[in-house]
Amino acid sequence: IDETLLTQAGEGVDKSDRIRGQISSFSKEGFATFDDISILAVSQAFKLIFSVNSFGLALSTATATFEVLPSVYTQVRLLTQPQNRPAGESLPAIQVEVVDDFFNRDVTASGVKVFLGVDNCCGFNEFEPSATTVDGMATFQAFGVTVSGTHVLVVRLYGRDDGDAKYSACVNDAGLLSQNMKLSERTRICTTRRQGRLESNAFLVSPGAINALQIFTYPEAVQTAGAPFATQPVVKILDSFGNLVVGEEVV
């Protein structure tokens, strides 16, 4: 295939796997027949190029240009990744796209709700922002993570409150029905959407600036002169979000 106008939507598909089916054929009675040809990437101007080399004579011919459109979306892909941040400081805007089985963006998918969580499900304090796609893309408003440590963002097409009603609506979606899809294919698409869970790269949230000291261990109320405390005092150093701050001297 001529890939000169290949769109970026097919980046998730290896070049060697962008065309499937029988890509070579021996001629019979002067005709070479190809079966089950399909293209996984999208472009407005693909060409199929056929060539033969016989006894040192190389010949080729090509089809007219044709367009390959994306299939319906089944999954989400992250376009931007989170970066290390101090606690509470906003992450960069997180942008995602909804893509088909071959990682082509479904540009017809507008109004699709995508959900973002931190670590397990909804993150801390049931935090679950959402964004709505326009032409297959969605951008989450900036937000910060306040708990220090290593985290991942989790992107899903189903929020914590979504259930069977949303799944049933998907299976009976007018857009899928208009494509004369069999029930088995609609079920596969909707199940993939429901079960999909994409994790970002891990990122580190470091503690913020010192905000408070808190006595963690108190000595007993009665002590003996010259004797070490049976229970030694321990003081916690905290930032404004309650994260422990390391490397600070307390006197």
Side-chain angles (χ1 to χ4, degrees):
I1 54 176
D2 184 344
E3 298 182 350
T4 55
L5 294 179
L6 180 68
T7 68
Q8 292 183 346
E11 286 178 344
V13 180
D14 186 87
K15 272 192 174 184
S16 62
D17 198 30
R18 283 180 175 155
I19 184 169
R20 286 183 178 175
Q22 182 183 0
I23 58 174
S24 66
S25 175
F26 287 97
S27 63
K28 296 179 180 178
E29 298 180 353
F31 293 90
T33 302
F34 296 82
D35 296 321
D36 299 323
I37 294 292
S38 64
I39 296 176
L40 309 188
V42 300
S43 173
Q44 293 180 334
F46 271 126
K47 292 180 182 179
L48 292 179
I49 301 173
F50 302 92
S51 60
V52 64
N53 193 324
S54 179
F55 299 104
L57 177 63
L59 298 173
S60 65
T61 187
T63 66
T65 58
F66 58 92
E67 183 176 10
V68 176
L69 300 173
S71 185
V72 296
Y73 74 92
T74 56
Q75 55 191 321
V76 184
R77 187 167 71 161
L78 279 162
L79 294 175
T80 54
Q81 293 285 345
Q83 299 173 4
N84 297 342
R85 283 290 189 274
E89 185 175 311
S90 292
L91 295 168
I94 302 299
Q95 195 171 48
V96 301
E97 62 179 354
V98 291
V99 296
D100 64 15
D101 292 332
F102 312 109
F103 303 101
N104 302 301
R105 183 185 306 154
D106 184 355
V107 295
T108 67
S110 293
V112 177
K113 209 167 189 179
V114 186
F115 299 88
L116 184 68
V118 181
D119 299 331
N120 294 325
C121 179
C122 313
F124 299 100
N125 301 320
E126 296 301 301
F127 178 64
E128 188 185 44
S130 63
T132 303
T133 60
V134 176
D135 298 332
M137 297 177 60
T139 302
F140 291 90
Q141 295 182 356
F143 66 93
V145 178
T146 59
V147 178
S148 62
T150 301
H151 304 286
V152 293
L153 299 181
V154 181
V155 187
R156 303 177 318 284
L157 290 168
Y158 273 66
R160 67 173 180 267
D161 297 325
D162 291 329
D164 292 341
K166 181 173 180 176
Y167 178 80
S168 296
C170 175
V171 172
N172 296 292
D173 178 73
L176 299 183
L177 291 170
S178 68
Q179 299 182 41
N180 296 319
M181 284 188 186
K182 294 181 178 179
L183 176 60
S184 59
E185 177 63 6
R186 302 199 311 272
T187 300
R188 183 195 70 81
I189 290 170
C190 297
T191 300
T192 303
R193 291 177 182 177
R194 185 175 190 173
Q195 296 178 347
R197 184 180 187 276
L198 176 68
E199 289 191 0
S200 71
N201 296 338
F203 63 100
L204 177 66
V205 174
S206 56
I210 293 175
N211 184 67
L213 296 178
Q214 185 180 100
I215 298 176
F216 180 70
T217 302
Y218 287 84
E220 287 82 358
V222 179
Q223 302 290 336
T224 301
F229 293 176
T231 302
Q232 294 292 327
V234 176
V235 177
K236 293 196 295 185
I237 305 96
L238 305 173
D239 67 8
S240 59
F241 304 103
N243 299 303
L244 296 172
V245 182
V246 299
E248 301 292 340
E249 185 178 9
V250 180
V251 297

